[in-house]
Amino acid sequence: MTEVRAVFDPQTNKIYLFADQALDANDAVMTALHEKTHLGLRKAFGAKLDPLLDDIFKNVSPKRRADMQKIADQYNLDVGRQEDRRVMAEELLAHMAEHDVSDGIVNRAIAFIRKLLRDMGFVQEFNDNDIRAMI
């Protein structure tokens, strides 16, 4: 089983990096940046992300469901808890965007975040890559 290198606590908006689990300094930096992305999304959109995360959890393909189960096992998450399901969906989304996986999940997230940005008054056109970088 993979050891957890860092976690983002959405309750406190803090990132905890477990340096002894990092492969090297670069791995520690990349891990911190991954967690910082969660912090940025939560700070920017907060609970407005919940419908997207709930939809991702509910409608993933069997292959992605297996990926989310691995995330649940890795982070000791309880599928019965709504907040844990959202963490699983957010982790899956972040991983897919980070690794440039072309999938309906990422495309739905891009459209969802684009709408949130417009609703927040941003009239600038954000292309898919701009939003993928935010994810």
Side-chain angles (χ1 to χ4, degrees), residues 109-119 126-128 131:
I110 287 170
F112 186 89
I113 291 171
R114 181 178 285 120
K115 182 184 179 322
L116 286 179
L117 289 167
R118 285 186 180 139
D119 291 350
F126 292 93
N127 67 39
D128 289 2
I131 296 172

Side-chain angles (χ1 to χ4, degrees), residues 5-6 16-17 24 38-39 68 83 105 111 119 133:
R5 294 188 301 244
Y16 298 92
L17 181 66
D24 54 31
H38 293 300
L39 175 61
M68 281 207 297
E83 187 55 37
I105 291 171
D119 291 350

Side-chain angles (χ1 to χ4, degrees), residues 3-4 7 17 19 29 31-32 34 60 66 68 83 85 87 89 94 97 101 108 133:
E3 295 297 324
V4 175
V7 294
L17 181 66
V29 169
T31 300
H34 172 90
V60 294
M68 281 207 297
E83 187 55 37
R85 291 191 302 264
V87 169
V101 174
R108 282 197 320 260

Side-chain angles (χ1 to χ4, degrees), residues 72-85:
D73 294 344
Q74 181 178 3
Y75 293 101
N76 197 30
L77 298 172
D78 178 359
V79 179
R81 289 189 62 236
Q82 185 174 42
E83 187 55 37
D84 284 2
R85 291 191 302 264

Side-chain angles (χ1 to χ4, degrees), residues 35-54:
E35 296 305 324
K36 182 81 168 144
T37 300
H38 293 300
L39 175 61
L41 283 174
R42 286 293 179 170
K43 277 194 170 189
F45 303 114
K48 291 178 183 178
L49 283 179
D50 290 347
L52 171 67
L53 300 174
D54 293 342

Side-chain angles (χ1 to χ4, degrees), residues 91-105:
E91 283 293 331
L92 178 67
L93 177 60
H95 176 79
M96 293 173 70
E98 189 177 308
H99 291 75
D100 201 26
V101 174
S102 181
D103 187 283
I105 291 171

